[in-house]
Amino acid sequence: MTAVGTVVEPGRGPAAVAPGERGATRIADRVVAKIASQAAREAAGPLPPGAAPPHATVVVRHEAARVRVHIELGYPGDIGGRCAGVRRQVVDRVRALAGMHVPEVVVLVERLHLTAAPEADRGRT
């Protein structure tokens, strides 16, 4: 069986095809979105009880992916630091797994979940 566009001469292997004539690989937006969602889950760490897992939407144009990540976090906590970590992880994973440049990652904190503080055990919030 031969690949489409491959020329096979009798008694020989496939003839070399020039790189410009081979075609291109296109990675669907939803595949990049799944990579970004998984990267956000890795970076966010443990989620508070009742929090939805992070999800992402992506627009790909000319080998560049613009990513929007929706996430729920625990409060109080370092929200800015966790969002920065999510941005870094998404850029690194999309670049490594899809080979795309990521010029923009927008992290939208959809909801903050109040986490139990030591004072809550004493009846005061």
Side-chain angles (χ1 to χ4, degrees):
M1 180 175 266
T2 62
V4 176
T6 304
V7 178
V8 178
E9 297 175 12
R12 302 177 117 176
V17 178
E21 297 177 14
R22 289 184 195 153
T25 300
R26 173 154 166 25
I27 300 173
D29 293 10
R30 67 186 183 139
V31 173
V32 179
K34 286 183 180 186
I35 293 169
S37 295
Q38 180 60 37
R41 280 187 207 102
E42 293 168 1
L47 296 176
H55 65 279
T57 56
V58 175
V59 175
V60 177
R61 286 200 179 103
H62 307 292
E63 299 301 320
R66 297 191 183 279
V67 182
R68 189 172 285 248
V69 177
H70 303 262
I71 192 167
E72 296 181 13
L73 298 173
Y75 183 81
D78 183 11
I79 295 168
R82 290 183 75 186
C83 289
V86 167
R87 276 192 288 279
R88 280 190 303 274
Q89 182 76 356
V90 168
V91 169
D92 291 345
R93 299 295 280 175
V94 170
R95 185 180 300 137
L97 296 175
M100 293 183 178
H101 173 64
V102 185
E104 176 182 24
V105 177
V106 176
V107 179
L108 298 168
V109 179
E110 295 286 325
R111 183 174 297 155
L112 295 174
H113 294 267
L114 186 62
T115 56
E119 300 88 49
D121 295 336
R122 290 184 245 148
R124 184 173 170 103
T125 306

